[in-house]
Amino acid sequence: MSTYWDPQDKLNINRELGNRDSFSPRRFLVPLPTIYFQRTMNEYFAKIRHHSTPPWRYFDARRQKIVIRLISTPDVKNIELLYNDPFDYVQVDGEWRWRYKTAWFHKQFSGGSELMWRVEIGVPSRRRLKYGFRVSFDNGETSWFSEWGLEPFSDAAATAPHNHFFYPFIHTVDAPKTPAWAEKTVWYQIFPDRFYRSGASVPPDTLADWEKDKPTHRNFFGGDLEGIRRKLAYLKNLGVNGIYLTPIFKSPSNHKYDVEDYFSVDDHFGGIGALKTLVADAHNLGVRVMLDAVFNHIGNRHPFWRDVLERQEKSPYKDFFHIHNFPVKEQYEDPRNADYDCFAFTPRMPKWNTENPQARKYLLDAALYWIKECDIDAWRLDVANEVSFDFWREFSALAHSAKADFYVVGEIWDDASEWVNGGFFDSAMNYPLGGAISDFFLKKNINARAFTDKLFLALSRYDDRRNRGAFNLLDSHDTERALTTARGDKQALRNAFIALFLCPGSPCIYYGTEVGMSGDGDPQCRGPMVWDEERQDKSLLAFFQRLVKFRLANIDVINNSALNFAEDGEIFYWRLEPISPMDRDLIVVYTGGETTRLEDLERRFGRLVFSAFDGEQPPPHSVAVFD
């Protein structure tokens, strides 16, 4: 018995239904035979994956290309795209046949448990597309793959009217809009209270000692926006060209995620004047500025919430929040018994009801205000996955209309493809990518092949344009510091950051990582910046300066390459092969647990262009880059 449903049997069913001219599974009046469903679906999930939605296919408006991607098992030898306008039929021997063109796929990610294939074609003149795949396997079999799964290839299968994938119309407005500048940005994240104290702002009543005190959830160190401005030269010397500030708006806390006034910069940070000066000076140096917005929840000192606490059901703001029962209280013996929704189980952070028109307008007005008033370049959106898609759709449209090249990043810790590919955000905080790098290089709890599979999975979630603008990071104000994850191993830290900086996207350095700061999770990861040069790791700082420079010099190769993994004993390497013709490949080599001579590596991989080690010879467990 054939392992596939015979196309002739499909025609036989159609004849029984009185439709003798074409095969259309959508017109079936009876269920498909069980064997057809089981065989096709099993093969579909086991061998080939593609959907006619982003990131599997999309329009790159900047380059005027249609990009189509597909995932397969390693036993696929090659794949050919058959495509054309869905209405382009010609008459052959008295029968109308669909006329198609062909293009060959190349491997975008290879060497792992699965292959990612990629092809790009020009935009059809009528901006419509029907397509399918001719798939050749290592065992000599050739199959046709459509939205109905795999079947033996035949011309009848490839030209049947509804046995394909469809891109009904190519709308420019639906194309990814990640700004070009984000693809070339190296970010530097700053927790403002802990970066640099200028003395020019209104300080909190009590300040911790910058050099002696440990960070707590409640203490203040007095860092401010003027302090950041005064250190722009340091940041420029490091090489970064984007700064991301955690919240700066009026709030009683040191972290400012419990906003009291969305239209006021906290006096502890210097007010709106300090922000305007910082943004203007940063722009003069070619540095972009991203602020942090909290539209999921509010602080309990905000006047809207104070009114609810005072007037209860009679408050005009009661519907601005998700209140289940009255009366509501400021504190609960068990926060799980709160009478309203809040961030986590934190009653002092009530959750916004963004479905309420007045609450929605207030938040959207705040978002636009800072874009127009201070010319900021980007918003990072806190707890973005708990706010409605409907709100983010309007937010994103307004932000991009206010500033065409605006950049929107959502805080989502897991797979963010629904938000990013749906066009709600330009990117998300790419914790999954950073987690894969951390597992292999910092924690050393997975092997190179498992790391490669995780890496390929993270990169397959988004289209190429959005991958190039992804916000990639290894540590932040919400995690332990990367050096702590590495248990103090600075060689491992350098390895991990080379990997991060050679991935497509815009990498981020968390303040102080470049000089060797360590710290467990919140609040220890939020310690004051080390400015005492005797306490700074100058060698590590020099490494980061070289790394930033190396990335920016090779950005076109990094952001536009196929990635191939291979291993030979304790030598593991990933080859970046430019998709478009360029001057060279880059090969990232990890030496594993054995000592290897540099001359042997250069003989095999080419010239050494960057490395994680300081000496003349690579130690075990070190990364080097060759071309």
Side-chain angles (χ1 to χ4, degrees):
M1 179 181 294
S2 170
T3 57
Y4 300 93
W5 185 252
D6 192 318
Q8 184 61 44
D9 291 333
K10 300 176 187 177
L11 297 177
N12 291 339
I13 289 178
N14 263 25
R15 291 190 183 98
E16 291 176 10
L17 296 176
N19 176 12
R20 298 177 180 275
D21 298 324
S22 65
F23 164 61
S24 173
R26 295 176 181 173
R27 299 174 186 163
F28 279 169
L29 300 180
V30 296
L32 285 170
T34 301
I35 186 172
Y36 174 72
F37 177 81
Q38 289 178 337
R39 299 293 188 185
T40 304
M41 291 300 103
N42 288 344
E43 290 295 326
Y44 173 78
F45 287 113
K47 297 288 187 183
I48 305 286
R49 296 204 306 280
H50 175 83
H51 303 279
S52 191
T53 56
W56 303 90
R57 63 102 178 105
Y58 67 97
F59 173 41
D60 187 336
R62 188 188 305 165
R63 298 174 56 249
Q64 288 295 299
K65 296 289 185 180
I66 304 298
V67 179
I68 298 174
R69 303 196 304 172
L70 179 150
I71 289 178
S72 81
T73 47
D75 61 335
V76 171
K77 183 177 181 180
N78 55 59
I79 302 175
E80 188 177 18
L81 178 73
L82 278 60
Y83 71 98
N84 201 3
D85 189 294
F87 301 103
D88 190 357
Y89 278 75
V90 294
Q91 203 165 26
V92 179
D93 297 331
E95 294 185 2
W96 289 99
R97 305 293 295 274
W98 180 57
R99 181 168 54 180
Y100 57 79
K101 305 172 185 178
T102 63
W104 288 99
F105 280 81
H106 70 262
K107 295 174 184 177
Q108 185 173 16
F109 309 138
S110 59
S113 299
E114 294 182 311
L115 305 177
M116 169 70 82
W117 301 78
R118 182 185 188 276
V119 68
E120 58 180 43
I121 58 175
V123 181
S125 59
R126 299 294 181 178
R127 305 181 74 82
R128 303 179 297 241
L129 191 65
K130 179 170 80 169
Y131 62 95
F133 310 98
R134 178 157 43 197
V135 183
S136 298
F137 292 89
D138 289 337
N139 63 6
E141 292 183 0
T142 302
S143 298
W144 174 248
F145 180 62
S146 72
E147 66 180 23
W148 296 98
L150 280 171
E151 60 184 279
F153 180 83
S154 68
D155 195 55
T159 57
H162 296 281
N163 202 25
H164 301 80
F165 293 95
F166 294 86
Y167 199 158
F169 198 87
I170 298 155
H171 295 276
T172 301
V173 71
D174 294 330
K177 299 178 180 64
T178 306
W181 63 262
E183 300 176 9
K184 300 179 180 180
T185 299
V186 176
W187 293 98
Y188 189 87
Q189 183 190 351
I190 296 174
F191 194 86
D193 181 65
R194 309 291 164 79
F195 191 62
Y196 186 73
R197 182 196 299 167
S198 73
S201 304
V202 178
D205 294 336
T206 304
L207 287 179
D209 187 293
W210 197 277
E211 301 297 335
K212 297 179 181 179
D213 288 341
K214 299 291 185 182
T216 70
H217 288 117
R218 299 185 183 278
N219 64 0
F220 293 85
F221 284 81
D224 55 13
L225 298 180
E226 172 60 18
I228 298 172
R229 190 194 70 81
R230 293 183 187 181
K231 291 298 182 180
L232 284 175
Y234 167 83
L235 298 177
K236 192 65 179 177
N237 188 49
L238 178 60
V240 301
N241 52 6
I243 53 175
Y244 153 43
L245 310 181
T246 54
I248 61 172
F249 306 113
K250 186 178 180 181
S251 156
S253 67
N254 56 37
H255 55 72
K256 310 298 181 191
Y257 282 100
D258 49 349
V259 181
E260 183 178 339
D261 184 352
Y262 283 77
F263 291 86
S264 176
V265 175
D266 201 297
D267 287 341
H268 295 165
F269 292 156
I272 189 172
L275 176 61
K276 287 184 174 181
T277 302
L278 170 61
V279 173
D281 285 6
H283 285 174
N284 287 336
L285 293 173
V287 176
R288 305 276 181 163
V289 179
M290 177 160 63
L291 299 186
D292 204 328
V294 190
F295 294 155
N296 175 69
H297 54 270
I298 198 172
N300 64 355
R301 290 194 184 182
H302 193 287
F304 293 174
W305 184 247
R306 301 313 300 174
D307 191 85
V308 170
L309 289 172
E310 179 182 345
R311 301 170 67 183
Q312 299 290 325
E313 297 99 323
K314 296 181 180 180
S315 171
Y317 304 109
K318 68 181 187 300
D319 293 330
F320 281 33
F321 310 98
H322 294 270
I323 298 174
H324 306 302
N325 301 293
F326 287 98
V328 295
K329 298 183 292 185
E330 192 160 9
Q331 295 182 354
Y332 291 82
E333 183 176 345
D334 184 347
R336 289 172 173 77
N337 294 329
D339 293 298
Y340 48 89
D341 294 335
C342 52
F343 169 65
F345 291 110
T346 312
R348 60 186 173 82
M349 294 181 176
K351 181 177 175 62
W352 282 106
N353 176 14
T354 54
E355 296 179 27
N356 178 275
Q358 290 78 30
R360 187 188 192 100
K361 183 177 185 303
Y362 173 81
L363 295 174
L364 293 174
D365 285 350
L368 289 176
Y369 176 80
W370 297 108
I371 299 173
K372 295 177 179 179
E373 189 70 20
C374 295
D375 196 27
I376 64 170
D377 303 289
W379 278 119
R380 180 265 191 188
L381 306 171
D382 191 56
V383 200
N385 56 344
E386 294 188 23
V387 180
S388 70
F389 288 110
D390 182 62
F391 178 83
W392 290 136
R393 182 181 294 108
E394 185 173 2
F395 170 92
S396 185
L398 287 172
H400 288 107
S401 66
K403 195 170 186 176
D405 64 347
F406 201 76
Y407 182 56
V408 179
V409 180
E411 184 210 12
I412 299 175
W413 287 63
D414 305 299
D415 180 359
S417 55
E418 191 170 4
W419 290 265
V420 176
N421 295 328
F424 302 100
F425 308 143
D426 297 307
S427 179
M429 299 185 78
N430 206 347
Y431 282 107
L433 177 71
I437 293 171
S438 177
D439 284 345
F440 181 57
F441 292 104
L442 299 181
K443 299 177 183 177
K444 299 184 177 69
N445 60 8
I446 60 174
N447 61 31
R449 185 166 292 277
F451 161 67
T452 300
D453 285 341
K454 281 190 169 187
L455 175 65
F456 287 176
L457 176 59
L459 294 175
S460 71
R461 286 173 172 167
Y462 313 112
D463 60 61
D464 299 331
R465 176 81 178 269
R466 291 183 171 106
N467 270 332
R468 292 195 294 267
F471 187 89
N472 299 336
L473 69 165
L474 284 178
D475 53 356
S476 74
H477 65 294
D478 283 328
T479 71
E480 66 180 6
R481 286 185 171 271
L483 186 56
T484 298
T485 304
R487 299 180 180 86
D489 183 347
K490 292 180 181 178
Q491 178 69 50
L493 183 76
R494 291 191 291 266
N495 292 339
F497 270 95
I498 290 176
L500 185 76
F501 272 59
L502 290 180
C503 284
S506 53
C508 182
I509 302 169
Y510 184 42
Y511 79 96
T513 296
E514 77 278 11
V515 294
M517 286 182 63
S518 60
D520 293 326
D522 177 19
Q524 299 306 317
C525 59
R526 303 176 181 184
M529 174 68 178
V530 175
W531 292 112
D532 181 352
E533 293 191 7
E534 293 185 0
R535 295 172 52 213
Q536 291 182 338
D537 186 328
K538 291 295 187 180
S539 174
L540 190 60
L541 176 60
F543 164 81
F544 272 95
Q545 291 171 322
R546 290 189 294 109
L547 180 60
V548 173
K549 185 177 180 179
F550 180 77
R551 175 183 168 81
L552 295 177
N554 293 278
I555 191 68
D556 289 336
V557 177
I558 294 168
N559 275 344
N560 299 282
S561 288
L563 187 60
N564 174 263
F565 168 70
E567 57 185 308
D568 182 5
E570 285 294 299
I571 301 296
F572 309 96
Y573 55 98
W574 297 264
R575 183 184 297 272
L576 282 68
E577 301 172 341
I579 292 173
S580 301
M582 295 182 186
D583 57 345
R584 58 181 180 149
D585 297 353
L586 289 177
I587 305 171
V588 184
V589 178
Y590 182 65
T591 57
E594 296 182 358
T595 301
T596 307
R597 292 169 54 84
L598 179 58
E599 48 266 42
D600 293 337
L601 293 176
E602 287 192 311
R603 190 177 302 112
R604 181 171 180 182
F605 297 110
R607 178 175 60 104
L608 177 71
V609 293
F610 197 85
S611 73
F613 51 89
D614 295 325
E616 295 182 358
Q617 294 297 331
H621 301 291
S622 62
V623 170
V625 184
F626 301 84
D627 70 2

